[in-house]
Amino acid sequence: MSAASLAHIAAGRARFAADLAAFVRFASVGADPRRRDDVAACAGWLAGRLRRAGLRDAALARTPGHPIVHASWRGAPGAPTVLFYGHYDVQPPEPLHAWRTPPFAPALAGEDLVGRGACDDKGPVLCHVAAIESHLATSGRLPANVVCVFEGEEEHGSPHLPAFLRAHRGRLAPDVAVMSDTRMRAPGWPAIIEGTRGAVSFEVELSRSGDELHAGQFGGAIANPLEALCAVLAQLHDERGRIAVPGLYDRVRVLPPREHARFAVDAPTDGELLRAGGSDDPAGEAGFSAYERTTVRPALTVTGLRGGYTGPGTQSAVPAGAQARLNLRLVPDQDPQEARRLVCARLRALTPAGLDLAVRAGPGSRATTIDRSHPAMLAAARALREAFGREPVFIRSGGSIPIVDVVQRLFGVPVVLMGFALPGDGMHAPNERVNLPTLHRGTAACARFLELVAAAGLPAEKELAA
Amino acid sequence: MSAASLAHIAAGRARFAADLAAFVRFASVGADPRRRDDVAACAGWLAGRLRRAGLRDAALARTPGHPIVHASWRGAPGAPTVLFYGHYDVQPPEPLHAWRTPPFAPALAGEDLVGRGACDDKGPVLCHVAAIESHLATSGRLPANVVCVFEGEEEHGSPHLPAFLRAHRGRLAPDVAVMSDTRMRAPGWPAIIEGTRGAVSFEVELSRSGDELHAGQFGGAIANPLEALCAVLAQLHDERGRIAVPGLYDRVRVLPPREHARFAVDAPTDGELLRAGGSDDPAGEAGFSAYERTTVRPALTVTGLRGGYTGPGTQSAVPAGAQARLNLRLVPDQDPQEARRLVCARLRALTPAGLDLAVRAGPGSRATTIDRSHPAMLAAARALREAFGREPVFIRSGGSIPIVDVVQRLFGVPVVLMGFALPGDGMHAPNERVNLPTLHRGTAACARFLELVAAAGLPAEKELAA
């Protein structure tokens, strides 16, 4: 790799940390309407950062939701075009009491920077920016053409990104996409993600007629939607930890023994996965490892429930309604719309007579599989090996990046998921953090990837799309 | 009844409504530490109101919690002493969105006054005060001796009242107690409560080690305390609607057929009870009427549950913990401490390995039975008949008034529960209200009761206590 570019990255470490702190300070919770101004300010800051990096056309594209920050450099005719994708929105910070430092007041803890969004996905986005800057600042050009697309709605399902990509399909025309909001295998051990789970989120509400009622005067004689909802949710898993939704497993692939064997070598062990979660309370489907449960098997998680009174003191009332949130993770060949229908049907079947059920669910996303033998994947593997000094492993992610499926289908190109979060960085959790030395190596890997992919002779877009 | 006293009550209607509005305006939520000042201000207002009624010794007794408002009149040596008990604290107003007018901004709706505490128990407390005033203002004396004890902690279990009553046992020395936070049989149809249910409240928490975790990366492999709590709660009732807690029914009396037959005549029908609740969704123990389910059968109600994220947007995390509130209602012969032990044991038995269970429960209260043949009960029945023009019915209440048991045991005297709330007044519910014309008749009944009980020749305290 260009020594000048590498030196530029090394010299820029302090500035990188300061940039990341500034980026994390924006409370860009895209799903929270009260945070609209914070999200907009964050987008503006990011566009400015891209311009300072040398991408002078950096700008905001308006959407019905939050703006998309985009930028490009097209100075390498004949070279491939790399789409860097990331997101500047973050998960809600709740529960706030669990944060040791405020979520939007970035704090240094050893070599980590702590704050909501630090690793998902602001740190990795800055890796992309700094990688581009390292070439432009030292040689005035990039090894390959680059387009950046950083959205503000990833954490609530990217509702407006597909339309943007479709509208600008011809102009964007990437030969490969790079996304970095995934995890490494372990500290110092890089990983390339060979597939992601899909996801569908549900909001479920059970209610009866009438208001809250005195639990003394009515307790024992009035339907209790909160108790009914508990009973419904308790019936969504069977005693072997399988999701008790008829038909949901019909399309799930049987795990071939050789894959099971490969996972036993490459994939995180149960112990590693639990330690990464800071928990020693495993659970799940009998007959599968924790890695398999979180990657090649679907999962249904009750992520929230609220009903009745839980404030200070006692209010003894029979609630009139209760709400739950469910999150379903899907594996290859499962169809989000079909899965949504099956879950809704099951919820309806479990709802007691007399109570009203309301379910809202988004369109959801598909699981993906990424071709490991594609030249761009091999270039990424080499870039990571050079940056981290260790051969990367190909693993699946249990998380969902809906846009991976969209990009693969729309452009017919692979998505290289080379992420720099570490197990235990607490994506979506309180005290989210990112390891700064890992991000510096990640920046070097992204910079080197641009050189390697330019030399790799990628198949032309038209061939692939044919 | 003294015509002058009756005329005084009739002439005072507008002032009564204004007083009640002023009383309801205090947000005296005794269980909410943030409302401490509102509760104190409410107590001060009530003491002032008692002094204006002519009870010049009205004062506040400090407790470790909220003050007790007390007052007395001892000008009738040889006549019995009537203890008027009530409470000036109110239930929390949540859920606030369900109120059509703000809970602490009293509003007139036809002949009803709407606001938190209007019928439970501020309206009835004012009936006692106005009844006393009607005699003192017109004749300068009362037919019987009177002590008033109005507490500020009834809605969270009266933690400090028993000590107050015990400390002042000799000075209070009532021959009968009157409480009015119970309901009439129907509009215009008075009722005397011949018994109440006991109650125990529980706070239950399930948690695992570690923080909230990304539902994609960990969903399917980590124990979910929220799902576990749903499963636990779903197993607290069996398929016939009985409470599935071993031993809990061991002391419950079998309902004699003649009681069942009497209820069929006197007690509210299933339809009446459901209409009073504004609900058409019955539930409960097979083989019993709604009245029986809410009076002579125990009930276990999940009154609140909270876990995970339910705020704006989506946060897809596996929760680290979940909390529920339970309310258990007890019937005669059940022991609160034993019931608490049984429920705790059941919760422990249902908790999956690896999760931590924490349960907090108050001491609870016993169910009560009140002797219908006592002369004071007969005096109350006559006073109600005269005030309302209809024979009162004796019914049981499903609610719990822990202090009934304390007073009956401590003083060896009956507690006359002649209440003025109507079915549908929404005690403990949003849009709580009270019917003003009913309160005016109730005031007349209380005033008349003082005359009748003075003439009734109550058994002396010592005889009863012997």
Side-chain angles (χ1 to χ4, degrees):
Chain A
M1 174 174 176
S2 137
S5 157
L6 203 57
H8 186 272
I9 293 168
R13 289 183 167 214
R15 191 179 134 196
F16 187 100
D19 275 346
L20 182 55
F23 199 11
V24 168
R25 200 161 279 124
F26 294 101
S28 51
V29 184
D32 186 346
R34 297 166 300 186
R35 294 300 198 178
R36 173 163 286 273
D37 292 347
D38 299 285
V39 178
C42 190
W45 181 89
L46 180 56
R49 182 68 192 83
L50 282 163
R51 281 191 292 273
R52 291 206 310 281
L55 299 182
R56 291 187 205 128
D57 70 347
L60 306 189
R62 290 171 62 170
T63 76
H66 299 301
I68 291 166
V69 181
H70 60 92
S72 66
W73 187 89
R74 297 283 188 181
T81 298
V82 176
L83 168 63
F84 282 113
Y85 163 86
H87 62 93
Y88 64 88
D89 63 313
V90 301
Q91 279 276 311
E94 282 77 10
L96 292 175
H97 66 83
W99 286 80
R100 289 181 290 273
T101 53
F104 299 110
L108 278 178
E111 294 187 313
D112 291 352
L113 189 140
V114 181
R116 172 56 89 224
C119 79
D120 183 14
D121 181 32
K122 289 177 172 177
V125 162
L126 284 192
C127 289
H128 296 174
V129 177
I132 292 165
E133 187 173 51
S134 74
H135 287 294
L136 288 176
T138 54
S139 67
R141 63 186 310 283
L142 294 174
N145 299 300
V146 161
V147 289
C148 291
V149 174
F150 299 138
E151 67 157 324
E153 305 184 313
E154 195 269 350
E155 297 292 4
H156 59 285
S158 305
H160 302 109
L161 185 65
F164 173 86
L165 296 178
R166 274 192 295 273
H168 301 283
R169 189 185 169 194
R171 191 165 65 75
L172 294 168
D175 297 292
V176 61
V178 174
M179 308 185 185
S180 300
D181 64 342
T182 53
R183 293 195 304 176
M184 311 245 298
R185 174 68 181 78
W189 187 2
I192 295 175
I193 301 302
E194 58 180 347
T196 59
R197 286 201 288 191
V200 186
S201 286
F202 299 83
E203 292 186 31
V204 181
E205 180 159 12
L206 269 188
S207 55
R208 60 162 166 74
S209 53
D211 277 337
E212 279 71 14
L213 289 170
H214 191 298
Q217 291 171 4
F218 294 95
I222 289 280
N224 185 336
L226 179 49
E227 293 171 9
L229 186 56
C230 288
V232 167
L233 299 179
Q235 293 174 78
L236 292 181
H237 289 90
D238 69 15
E239 67 288 350
R240 290 181 51 80
R242 281 169 66 94
I243 303 165
V245 172
L248 193 76
Y249 287 89
D250 287 358
R251 297 182 192 276
V252 175
R253 294 181 198 173
V254 174
L255 187 64
R258 67 182 156 72
E259 283 288 279
H260 188 75
R262 179 166 73 92
F263 295 158
V265 175
D266 284 349
T269 64
D270 288 15
E272 277 181 294
L273 201 139
L274 286 166
R275 270 196 305 282
S279 178
D280 49 16
D281 298 316
E285 191 181 358
F288 294 91
S289 71
Y291 173 76
E292 290 162 352
R293 288 168 176 172
T294 56
T295 55
V296 296
R297 302 297 295 175
L300 181 60
T301 302
V302 181
T303 59
L305 200 156
R306 183 177 54 185
Y309 183 76
T310 54
T314 305
Q315 187 197 53
S316 303
V318 185
Q323 294 99 42
R325 305 276 178 93
L326 307 180
N327 182 260
L328 176 65
R329 298 283 164 163
L330 302 172
V331 294
D333 298 342
Q334 287 190 294
D335 176 60
Q337 292 188 39
E338 182 185 65
R340 188 175 60 177
R341 270 198 313 276
L342 294 171
V343 170
C344 288
R346 176 67 169 153
L347 291 170
R348 269 195 306 276
L350 291 172
T351 298
L355 294 183
D356 291 323
L357 171 72
V359 184
R360 284 177 294 281
S365 62
R366 293 176 176 278
T368 61
T369 299
I370 301 153
D371 176 10
R372 292 167 54 179
S373 64
H374 192 279
M377 292 286 266
L378 302 178
R382 182 168 160 197
L384 287 169
R385 184 173 64 244
E386 291 183 13
F388 287 90
R390 182 162 183 179
E391 191 69 41
V393 69
F394 287 87
I395 50 177
R396 294 191 62 89
S397 164
S400 306
I401 312 172
I403 209 61
V404 170
D405 184 55
V406 174
V407 166
Q408 294 208 144
R409 285 168 184 265
L410 185 64
F411 299 112
V413 305
V415 174
V416 174
L417 289 163
M418 42 192 259
F420 310 119
L422 297 179
D425 273 356
M427 280 188 177
H428 293 211
N431 306 302
E432 178 181 344
R433 62 187 53 224
V434 76
N435 182 252
L436 291 170
T438 301
L439 289 186
H440 299 314
R441 287 194 188 87
T443 302
C446 290
R448 180 67 176 135
F449 175 75
L450 288 176
E451 296 175 350
L452 292 169
V453 84
L458 289 192
E461 181 198 349
K462 276 165 196 158
E463 275 178 65
L464 260 178
Chain B
M1 173 173 175
S2 137
S5 158
L6 204 55
H8 186 273
I9 291 167
R13 289 183 166 214
R15 191 179 132 194
F16 186 100
D19 275 346
L20 181 54
F23 200 10
V24 168
R25 200 161 280 124
F26 294 101
S28 51
V29 183
D32 186 346
R34 297 166 300 186
R35 293 301 198 180
R36 173 162 285 273
D37 292 348
D38 299 284
V39 178
C42 189
W45 181 90
L46 180 57
R49 181 67 193 84
L50 282 163
R51 282 191 292 272
R52 291 206 311 280
L55 299 182
R56 289 185 207 132
D57 69 347
L60 307 190
R62 290 171 63 171
T63 76
H66 300 302
I68 291 166
V69 181
H70 61 93
S72 66
W73 188 89
R74 297 283 189 181
T81 298
V82 176
L83 167 64
F84 282 114
Y85 162 85
H87 63 93
Y88 64 88
D89 63 312
V90 301
Q91 280 275 311
E94 282 78 11
L96 293 173
H97 66 83
W99 286 80
R100 289 180 290 274
T101 54
F104 300 111
L108 279 177
E111 294 186 313
D112 291 351
L113 188 139
V114 181
R116 171 56 88 223
C119 80
D120 182 15
D121 178 36
K122 289 177 172 178
V125 162
L126 283 191
C127 289
H128 296 173
V129 177
I132 292 164
E133 186 173 51
S134 75
H135 287 294
L136 288 175
T138 54
S139 67
R141 63 183 310 284
L142 294 174
N145 299 301
V146 161
V147 288
C148 292
V149 174
F150 299 138
E151 67 159 321
E153 305 184 311
E154 196 269 348
E155 297 292 5
H156 60 283
S158 304
H160 303 109
L161 185 64
F164 174 87
L165 296 177
R166 275 193 295 272
H168 302 283
R169 188 184 170 193
R171 191 167 65 76
L172 294 168
D175 298 291
V176 59
V178 175
M179 307 185 185
S180 299
D181 63 342
T182 53
R183 293 195 303 176
M184 311 244 300
R185 173 68 179 78
W189 186 3
I192 295 175
I193 300 303
E194 59 179 347
T196 59
R197 287 201 286 191
V200 186
S201 287
F202 300 82
E203 292 185 30
V204 182
E205 180 160 11
L206 269 189
S207 55
R208 61 161 165 76
S209 54
D211 278 337
E212 280 71 12
L213 290 170
H214 190 298
Q217 291 170 3
F218 294 95
I222 290 280
N224 185 335
L226 178 49
E227 292 171 9
L229 187 56
C230 287
V232 168
L233 299 179
Q235 293 174 79
L236 292 180
H237 289 90
D238 70 15
E239 68 287 352
R240 289 180 53 79
R242 282 169 66 93
I243 302 165
V245 172
L248 193 78
Y249 288 88
D250 287 357
R251 296 181 193 277
V252 175
R253 294 180 197 173
V254 174
L255 188 64
R258 65 182 157 71
E259 283 288 277
H260 189 75
R262 178 167 74 89
F263 294 157
V265 176
D266 283 351
T269 63
D270 287 15
E272 277 180 294
L273 200 138
L274 285 168
R275 270 196 303 283
S279 178
D280 49 15
D281 298 315
E285 192 181 355
F288 295 91
S289 71
Y291 173 77
E292 289 161 352
R293 289 169 176 171
T294 56
T295 56
V296 296
R297 303 296 295 175
L300 181 61
T301 301
V302 181
T303 59
L305 201 157
R306 181 177 57 182
Y309 183 76
T310 56
T314 304
Q315 187 198 52
S316 302
V318 185
Q323 295 98 41
R325 305 279 178 92
L326 306 180
N327 183 261
L328 176 66
R329 298 286 165 163
L330 302 172
V331 295
D333 299 342
Q334 287 188 293
D335 175 60
Q337 291 187 38
E338 182 184 66
R340 189 176 57 175
R341 268 198 313 276
L342 294 171
V343 170
C344 288
R346 177 67 168 150
L347 292 171
R348 269 195 305 276
L350 291 172
T351 297
L355 295 183
D356 291 323
L357 171 73
V359 184
R360 284 176 293 280
S365 63
R366 292 175 176 280
T368 62
T369 299
I370 301 153
D371 176 10
R372 294 168 53 178
S373 63
H374 191 280
M377 291 286 267
L378 302 178
R382 183 167 160 199
L384 286 169
R385 183 171 64 245
E386 292 182 13
F388 287 91
R390 181 160 184 183
E391 192 68 43
V393 69
F394 287 87
I395 50 176
R396 294 192 62 89
S397 164
S400 306
I401 312 173
I403 210 60
V404 171
D405 183 56
V406 174
V407 166
Q408 294 208 144
R409 285 168 184 265
L410 186 64
F411 298 112
V413 305
V415 174
V416 174
L417 289 162
M418 42 191 261
F420 310 120
L422 297 179
D425 273 357
M427 278 188 180
H428 293 210
N431 306 301
E432 178 180 345
R433 61 188 53 223
V434 75
N435 183 252
L436 291 169
T438 301
L439 289 186
H440 299 315
R441 287 193 188 86
T443 302
C446 290
R448 180 65 176 138
F449 175 76
L450 288 176
E451 296 175 351
L452 292 169
V453 85
L458 288 194
E461 182 198 348
K462 277 167 196 156
E463 275 179 66
L464 260 178

